Amino acid sequence: MMELQRLNLKNKLTCLLENCKSLRELKQIHAHITTPPHLFTTDRCFLISRLIFFCTVSQSGSLTYANAVFRFVPRKTLFIYNSMIRAYASRILDPTSFQPLILYKQMLFDDITPDCITFPFVLKHCVNRVDEFVGRSVHAHVVKFGFLSDVFVQNSLISLYSQCGSVGIARKVFDEMSNRDIVSWNSMVIGCLRNGELDMALELFRRMKKRNIITWNSIITGFVQGGRPKEALEFFYEMQISGDDMVSPDKMTIASVISACASLGAVDQGKWVHDYLNRSGMECDMVIATALVDMYGKCGSVSRALDVFKAMKNKDVLAWTAMVSAFALNGNGREAFELLLDMEEAGVRPNAVTFTALLSACAHSGIIEIGRRCFDVMRHAYHIEPQIQHYACMVDILGRAGLFDEAEGLIRSMPMEPDVFVWGALLGGCQMHRNFQLGEKVARHLISLEPLNHAFYVNLCDIYAKAGRFDHVKEIRALMKEKGIEKTVPGCSMIEVDGVVHEFSVRDSPQVLMTEIKHVLTSLSDEMGRRVNMIPSLE
């Protein structure tokens, strides 16, 4: 009878823990666990371990309470240690904490052997801390305790070394795996992309027999962020014709593809993606709508950007800033400033990026007074201290207007050391207004800041050439040759015809370049022919 009563109580308390809704209920259950005299010690240990687990994983629980209970458990088990390590390792908001490592060390002192659950969470904590040194020590323990062939542990090691920038070690772990799952492949691909190893990521991607949405999103986003947006678009189209019904574009895919279109200035493909979004019934949330505003703005279609912006129900500061940037990129400075006033009326507080866009708009539009006003409003009304990019924009405004004394005075008043962008903005104004004396001084200062940057030598040569000082041009070119400095980045132009992006580079051979130009001209001719045929006859 007593045995049955004990089992019933144990089962009842276990059930109560699983259905607990609040910390208050949890404390009541805890009291029931500790008070009944007929519960065995093993029963109490089991229930306490479940209670700690509940505290660490449930929203109704409390890590502080779990830690208090943990300290008074006389005989801690592997399950309890794993629960606590998992809880602390998952707290990404506090990566500086050593608590998971302290618990792991305490577990070893208690002569408890870690298992395949322990190591992934300890390694996750090392990933959050970006701590390769400690991670290598944990890796040694993985080998020592015989878990090197466990796929979950190996995946965690790949994430660790990738996050810490040691892609070579991550690849070695990957290559030595006898059994890989899709997480292994995705982790390695993502690690390569994060560290700029785009070609290695592509090689792994092509070898994958099975891909999921994480794979496709990673490769598309990685190539967009890695400066290869044209290939990112090709991946998107490949994804659609892959024939895998289980994989379909999600919001992240669409946002990345829109970003690729923005980078390329491919407005036709951007429109297609926008139409696809509407046809698919996918929700156009704040992130996607903001990406659309940014894309249309960068492609020069301000009216479309404004249409998307106006259709947004709840606009955050990023959405407002994207629209301000769209005006800025297209020289609509007054409209950008009016949008700031609308933003204030809507109760949205602009941030430092918003004012960078506003000042950039003023620079492109040549409206000096509004630029000065924005600079003052930022400091005095919003208490945003100007950063170096704001000073660069303001110097650009003054330099374009030929106000060199004011621009130099602003540079001297900067609380930080002016960088190449600030001096570059002033140099641009000098070249525009043919102020060769100041331009020479600024260009030589830029060369002293970055002696290996070919662009500053080229700018100085340009200043001397326009001033008719050709002996100095020869002198600078000889200096470049002596230092082995040459223009390494090829000139590149792109044009979109019928939704296809054509790219021209000075590295192309004349034959290749002429063939590509003929193809584009033929496409343009066909397009003009179609449009002419659409015009009604006057006869």
Side-chain angles (χ1 to χ4, degrees), residues 385-440:
E385 283 302 314
Q387 301 300 309
I388 201 155
Q389 65 268 23
H390 300 116
Y391 282 103
C393 288
M394 201 63 213
V395 169
D396 191 24
I397 292 171
L398 298 171
R400 286 171 185 258
L403 302 171
F404 297 111
D405 291 339
E406 187 177 347
E408 287 187 277
L410 181 65
I411 292 172
R412 284 194 296 269
S413 70
M414 287 174 59
M416 72 285 290
E417 194 69 27
D419 65 0
V420 292
F421 296 103
V422 175
W423 290 113
L426 184 59
L427 179 61
C430 292
Q431 289 178 307
M432 182 184 295
H433 291 277
R434 302 177 72 84
N435 187 339
F436 301 132
Q437 184 178 356
L438 180 59
E440 179 187 7

Side-chain angles (χ1 to χ4, degrees), residues 41 51 72 91 138 148 232 279 284 289 304 326 337 355 377 379 383 436 453 468 487 511:
T41 304
L51 184 142
F72 289 100
R91 297 182 73 184
V138 178
L148 191 57
R279 290 194 309 270
C284 186
R304 284 181 177 270
F337 185 71
F355 280 103
V377 164
R379 289 186 296 177
H383 307 291
F436 301 132
N453 191 326
K487 187 177 179 181
Q511 293 82 5

Side-chain angles (χ1 to χ4, degrees), residues 180-393:
R180 305 184 189 105
D181 59 11
I182 195 165
V183 177
S184 314
W185 287 93
N186 284 343
S187 297
M188 194 63 242
V189 168
I190 292 169
C192 292
L193 293 168
R194 280 179 178 167
N195 289 279
E197 297 287 347
L198 272 63
D199 291 327
M200 187 189 293
L202 182 57
E203 176 251 321
L204 290 164
F205 176 79
R206 291 300 177 204
R207 285 173 51 196
M208 292 179 71
K209 294 179 181 178
K210 185 179 180 182
R211 300 164 182 156
N212 58 15
I213 188 62
I214 296 173
T215 317
W216 288 103
N217 283 347
S218 299
I219 200 76
I220 292 170
T221 305
F223 270 70
V224 171
Q225 295 175 349
R228 290 161 69 172
K230 189 176 179 183
E231 290 169 84
L233 278 182
E234 291 168 0
F235 289 132
F236 174 63
Y237 297 129
E238 182 183 340
M239 174 186 180
Q240 292 192 292
I241 62 173
S242 63
D244 190 347
D245 296 333
M246 301 297 292
V247 177
S248 58
D250 61 8
K251 291 179 182 179
M252 184 178 290
T253 321
I254 297 299
S256 297
V257 172
I258 292 169
S259 180
C261 295
S263 299
L264 292 166
V267 69
D268 287 343
Q269 297 194 43
K271 289 176 187 175
W272 185 90
V273 175
H274 193 179
D275 291 339
Y276 173 85
L277 179 68
N278 295 329
R279 290 194 309 270
S280 67
M282 196 182 301
E283 179 193 3
C284 186
D285 62 10
M286 188 75 68
V287 174
I288 293 177
T290 303
L292 283 169
V293 171
D294 179 65
M295 182 270 295
Y296 282 126
K298 287 178 178 175
C299 292
S301 186
V302 184
S303 59
R304 284 181 177 270
L306 196 56
D307 289 341
V308 175
F309 178 75
K310 287 179 177 178
M312 296 171 71
K313 293 181 180 178
N314 299 310
K315 305 176 185 73
D316 61 5
V317 65
L318 296 177
W320 286 94
T321 302
M323 193 62 235
V324 170
S325 298
F327 282 133
L329 287 168
N330 293 278
N332 301 329
R334 296 189 183 277
E335 290 84 347
F337 185 71
E338 288 169 6
L339 197 65
L340 173 66
L341 303 179
D342 294 339
M343 188 176 181
E344 290 174 340
E345 286 183 15
V348 180
R349 184 181 176 84
N351 59 21
V353 181
T354 314
F355 280 103
T356 302
L358 280 164
L359 292 169
S360 177
C362 295
H364 284 90
S365 305
I367 43 180
I368 310 159
E369 286 305 319
I370 291 181
R372 288 183 179 130
R373 187 176 172 188
C374 285
F375 197 73
D376 289 336
V377 164
M378 175 179 66
R379 289 186 296 177
H380 300 126
Y382 290 100
H383 307 291
I384 298 173
E385 283 302 314
Q387 301 300 309
I388 201 155
Q389 65 268 23
H390 300 116
Y391 282 103
C393 288

